[in-house]
């Protein structure tokens, strides 16, 4: 069975602090995909990044970086020099490659609050 | 330009009164999903379509139905809404390739009074 665990329910930081959001996943498949989405107060889920199970390269995009480690089944997300606009709920998600149309399974989300 | 559009953004319905939420997409994606998201919880998959093939999650109540008349449109019908059905309903689409993300609409927030 597939499962995504985001152990941190809420994180509060002050602007310019770095923050890491943890994600641990479980799957029996050897081929799978991992995602991070941001959900601001407006409600729409905004795609941030995807990673397939064969690509363990870490990625940096501006202030965002992602660390994928298959050995620990983790796909952690770091925001450097956080800003108030980063305040949102962040979801990690997993999709197995069993068949076309397989849905994304989400973790429970981490609410990030960045204060000025 | 919005690619997945949900209408309405906010919907208030009476207890037991049927309600329909709509979703349209301009991406021509084969797959469309409906998720239910209650306050401070993860989105929960209700069902999805792969083209016209309908896939219902095992724990989706019978009270929830869906229609997909064509590629662009998908509807969520709640036959007899209860207070527990108050939630944000998210529609999403996805292309055929597995290495693709899902695109979400802005959601419809349903209130049951």
């Amino acid at each position: 069975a597939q499962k995504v665990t985001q152990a941190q329910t809420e994180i509060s930081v002050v602007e310019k602090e770095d923050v890491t959001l943890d994600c641990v996943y479980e799957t029996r498949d050897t081929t799978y995909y991992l995602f991070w989405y941001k959900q601001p107060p407006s409600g729409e889920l905004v795609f941030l990044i995807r990673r397939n199970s064969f690509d363990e390269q870490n990625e940096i995009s501006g202030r965002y970086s992602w660390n994928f480690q298959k050995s620990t089944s983790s796909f952690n997300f770091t925001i450097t020099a956080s800003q108030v606009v980063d305040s949102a709920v962040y979801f990690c998600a997993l999709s197995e490659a069993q068949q076309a149309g397989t849905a994304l399974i989400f973790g429970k989300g981490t609410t990030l609050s960045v204060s000025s | 330009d919005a690619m997945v559009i949900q209408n309405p953004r906010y919907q208030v319905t009476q207890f037991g009164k049927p309600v329909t939420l709509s979703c349209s997409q301009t991406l021509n994606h084969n797959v469309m999903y409906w998720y239910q998201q209650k306050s401070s919880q993860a989105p929960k998959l209700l069902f999805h379509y792969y083209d016209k093939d309908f896939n219902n999650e095992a724990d989706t109540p019978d009270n929830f139905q869906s229609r997909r008349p064509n590629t662009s449109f998908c509807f969520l019908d709640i036959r007899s809404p209860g207070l527990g059905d108050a939630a944000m309903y998210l529609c999403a689409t996805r292309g055929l390739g597995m290495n693709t993300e899902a695109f979400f609409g802005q959601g419809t927030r349903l209130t049951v009074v």
Side-chain angles (χ1 to χ4, degrees):
Chain A
Q2 52 179 326
K3 183 180 177 182
V4 177
T5 301
Q6 294 180 256
Q8 305 149 308
T9 306
E10 294 183 18
I11 300 177
S12 295
V13 299
V14 178
E15 257 191 325
K16 300 184 182 177
E17 283 186 35
D18 298 347
V19 59
T20 296
L21 310 181
D22 298 333
C23 174
V24 174
Y25 62 91
E26 294 176 29
T27 177
R28 294 178 188 164
D29 276 13
T30 55
T31 303
Y32 52 88
Y33 301 87
L34 296 163
F35 305 82
W36 275 95
Y37 281 83
K38 175 182 180 180
Q39 188 175 41
S42 59
E44 181 179 359
L45 281 161
V46 178
F47 167 75
L48 296 177
I49 190 172
R50 68 172 174 271
R51 176 66 76 232
N52 73 58
S53 52
F54 299 108
D55 180 5
E56 286 194 73
Q57 272 195 332
N58 293 327
E59 181 159 338
I60 298 175
S61 176
R63 296 184 297 107
Y64 295 169
S65 62
W66 291 268
N67 181 272
F68 176 32
Q69 293 195 347
K70 285 179 76 170
S71 61
T72 55
S73 297
S74 65
F75 186 42
N76 297 337
F77 172 32
T78 297
I79 302 174
T80 303
S82 60
Q83 300 176 1
V84 172
V85 293
D86 296 327
S87 298
V89 183
Y90 291 85
F91 289 97
C92 179
L94 166 70
S95 175
E96 293 175 335
Q98 294 170 342
Q99 58 186 8
T102 302
L104 275 63
I105 301 301
F106 289 86
K108 291 186 176 181
T110 297
T111 299
L112 175 64
S113 299
V114 182
S115 57
S116 57
Chain B
D1 289 339
M3 295 175 285
V4 181
I5 301 166
Q6 291 187 243
N7 285 304
R9 289 287 311 279
Y10 302 92
Q11 176 74 58
V12 180
T13 191
Q14 291 180 343
F15 183 94
K17 183 175 181 181
V19 65
T20 295
L21 311 181
S22 73
C23 177
S24 63
Q25 58 142 332
T26 59
L27 298 163
N28 205 36
H29 282 166
N30 297 82
V31 186
M32 292 186 79
Y33 307 95
W34 279 104
Y35 284 86
Q36 178 193 63
Q37 186 181 22
K38 296 189 176 180
S39 182
S40 302
Q41 295 186 22
K44 178 180 178 298
L45 183 66
L46 294 174
F47 23 62
H48 76 272
Y49 280 91
Y50 173 39
D51 289 331
K52 285 194 174 291
D53 290 337
F54 176 70
N55 298 272
N56 198 33
E57 291 300 295
D59 57 354
T60 297
D62 292 339
N63 196 25
F64 290 85
Q65 304 287 321
S66 185
R67 297 169 284 134
R68 189 179 186 186
N70 53 52
T71 300
S72 300
F73 287 88
C74 195
F75 300 96
L76 170 62
D77 301 308
I78 308 176
R79 293 192 296 189
S80 181
L83 297 178
D85 297 327
M88 174 77 90
Y89 290 88
L90 296 164
C91 173
T93 73
R94 194 176 183 191
L96 271 185
M98 285 295 100
N99 194 24
T100 60
E101 67 271 26
F103 292 83
F104 284 82
Q106 286 189 298
T108 295
R109 184 165 297 283
L110 179 69
T111 301
V112 182
V113 298

